[in-house]
Amino acid sequence: MNYTAPMLTLPDMAAAFGTPASAQAWLLNGTPLGLAVLLLVAGSLADAHGRRRIFLLGTLALGLTTALGALAGGTVAFTAARIAQGAASAAVLAGSLGLLAESYPAGRDRIRATGIWGASVSGGIALGPLLAGALSLLDWRLAYGVLGAAALATAAVGARTLGTGRDTGNAPGRGGGDAPGRGGAPAGGPGPVSGSTPAPGNTPAPVIPPATATGATAVNAPAPRTTRPSPASATAPRPRPDLAGAAAFGLALAALLTALTLGRDGWLRPQVGLLLLASAALTALFVAVERRSRAPMVDLALLRRPAFLASTLGALFTGLAVIGLFSVVPALLQGGAGMSPLGAAWLFVLWSGTAFVVALQARRLAGRLSAPYQLALGFVLSAAGVLALLGALDGAAGSWPRLLPGLLVAGAGSGLLNAALPRLAVDSVPPERAAMGSGANNTARYVGSSAGVALTLALATTGTGPDTAVLVAAALALTGAAVTLGLSRRPRR
């Protein structure tokens, strides 16, 4: 709910802060930026220092930073609070999945538990805009106050009810039942693990904002088997989180987002070019750091696998083409079509609800349609649904009958993407790298969504209006389909 709330409060926040159109992307991108940078690092910390501890600290931090967002007096303060919320959310998600993996080692109980977890994430994604839309009728700050109080209450209940007996990880002498691996992936299987934190499109509902270890992952993937740590692994030193890699990656992403945000005022301006060059240089630095690191965020050798590339690029294009656009659609409906916040929230729920239902039913396609082809079909349907929104996001044309067909078709496409991506993420890597594969997939999703939001706002707030952003989103979706199909036909390495 915290992730998707700003989609409805963006117009009121921008007015209260006096945020110019060229900087409004930062009001939405704070949380995905924090998640993208610290997603894999949080999994490592949970494994090394205990999932219960990281979960409770993350929940406490989430409550405090959300409350700070409600008290923010300007764009910079609110964006900083949202980045901190993203970092806290990474700890919450990594710790919660790690606790589930420990409490339910394998079998139907784990499938049921992770299904409930995924449904909770999906429900939050859909209900966040409704809560924000309803409370914004009084004051947009109320939504963040309520969400902050709920997180603090969760931390208080968790501190009393979560026992310490299972607060284990890969630390020396802790036999948690997890083999060494990124995010505490149980050896031998791709079940939900602490490193496979979901983006909104990896849940049955789309993430957005989001997300992203859902029913799709839990049902389609075989239940992982647990193993006892060997004496060597029990005495091995704790792997240090790749903080240098996270810093280089975060700075590269921040430079890219700033360039896309400034592009609204002219893509050929020197500032934009310099920021893009800085982003490329920092990305090269990140690659160099990962090659030298003993415990890298991502094993770059996986990039030689066509299926892994298809999974990662599919997640990236999902963020760019789908999440990026639909993160901004509620604000466009309020500003351009004059729709009320609650009305825009219900339309968002229509799209996300369709995606949720289709993702749950998509498991029936597992034996008939491979994950890459399902991914390509999802991109094509998303492009078709997005194109149906041409001319409907601005002016009087933004009515329910005009918007419904496009939202339903795009929602079906998003549901297919949500179901295919987690399956492809874990199938494209060796079993011992399942957590890293899923974590990289979700990180790519957050990177794409952040860049997609900045690009969509830059295009939609120019003189050409939202239709330019719609056309670019459709083109990106079709490009994602072509890339996925092309990589799926390359021989395995």
Side-chain angles (χ1 to χ4, degrees):
M1 295 175 74
N2 180 282
Y3 191 99
T4 52
M7 297 176 194
L8 267 295
T9 62
L10 178 61
D12 290 338
M13 287 190 303
F17 297 151
T19 309
S22 59
Q24 290 181 14
W26 288 108
L27 298 177
L28 293 178
N29 271 338
T31 294
L33 176 60
L35 274 162
V37 173
L38 294 176
L39 192 61
L40 293 172
V41 173
S44 296
L45 290 174
D47 287 339
H49 300 285
R51 287 75 183 264
R52 177 183 181 273
R53 180 181 295 114
I54 296 301
F55 172 77
L56 292 177
L57 288 175
T59 306
L60 177 62
L62 180 61
L64 294 175
T65 53
T66 303
L68 287 176
L71 300 174
T75 304
V76 174
F78 184 83
T79 301
R82 292 292 292 176
I83 294 173
Q85 288 166 40
S89 298
V92 171
L93 294 172
S96 64
L97 274 176
L99 288 171
L100 282 182
E102 292 172 357
S103 300
Y104 302 95
R108 293 185 177 274
D109 287 342
R110 171 176 283 189
I111 293 175
R112 186 180 299 110
T114 52
I116 294 173
W117 184 93
S120 300
V121 174
S122 303
I125 289 170
L127 293 176
L130 283 178
L131 174 69
L135 293 179
S136 65
L137 297 176
L138 300 173
D139 188 341
W140 66 266
R141 297 179 186 271
L142 285 176
Y144 300 97
V146 170
L147 291 172
L152 292 175
T154 302
V157 173
R160 294 177 61 87
T161 59
L162 290 176
T164 59
R166 290 186 178 272
D167 193 16
T168 60
N170 290 334
R174 289 183 172 182
D178 290 345
R182 175 72 58 196
V193 289
S194 63
S196 58
T197 315
N202 272 3
T203 63
V207 264
I208 309 197
T212 227
T214 87
T217 305
V219 174
N220 291 334
R225 61 181 182 273
T226 57
T227 60
R228 295 183 181 274
S230 64
S233 67
T235 58
R238 297 182 183 181
R240 294 183 178 180
D242 185 13
L243 297 181
F249 181 71
L251 290 173
L253 181 56
L256 174 62
L257 296 181
T258 305
L260 293 175
T261 300
L262 294 178
R264 175 185 179 274
D265 298 324
W267 296 101
L268 299 180
R269 296 167 64 200
Q271 299 95 316
V272 176
L274 288 174
L275 284 167
L276 290 175
L277 288 176
S279 179
L282 287 165
T283 301
L285 176 62
F286 168 72
V287 172
V289 170
E290 294 305 284
R291 285 178 175 172
R292 296 173 61 88
S293 175
R294 294 182 179 179
M297 290 172 60
V298 178
D299 183 359
L300 298 180
L302 294 175
L303 296 175
R304 302 191 188 101
R305 293 173 167 260
F308 179 78
L309 270 178
S311 168
T312 305
L313 291 177
L316 181 68
F317 276 100
T318 297
L320 283 169
V322 181
I323 299 173
L325 175 67
F326 281 95
S327 295
V328 181
V329 162
L332 294 177
L333 290 175
Q334 294 177 69
M339 192 170 290
S340 69
L342 205 53
W346 280 114
L347 282 173
F348 177 85
V349 170
L350 176 67
W351 171 70
S352 61
T354 302
F356 176 75
V357 173
V358 171
L360 287 179
Q361 298 303 316
R363 67 182 184 275
R364 303 178 188 273
L365 299 174
R368 305 175 185 176
L369 196 65
S370 67
Y373 280 90
Q374 182 178 322
L375 202 61
L377 178 59
F379 277 126
V380 170
L381 288 177
S382 294
V386 165
L387 289 174
L389 299 178
L390 277 171
L393 299 178
D394 196 11
S399 62
W400 279 69
R402 176 71 174 80
L403 293 164
L404 283 179
L407 291 173
L408 290 173
V409 174
S414 182
L416 291 176
L417 293 172
N418 295 343
L421 279 173
R423 179 156 61 107
L424 186 58
V426 295
D427 288 346
S428 63
V429 296
E432 67 273 12
R433 292 295 197 195
M436 181 178 286
S438 186
N441 185 278
N442 286 296
T443 299
R445 176 82 61 107
Y446 284 119
V447 171
S449 65
S450 300
V453 166
L455 181 62
T456 300
L457 279 174
L459 295 173
T461 55
T462 58
T464 56
D467 282 354
T468 302
V470 168
L471 289 172
V472 169
L476 287 170
L478 293 176
T479 303
V483 169
T484 301
L485 287 178
L487 288 172
S488 67
R489 292 173 181 173
R490 290 172 58 182
R492 291 178 175 267
R493 293 183 183 179

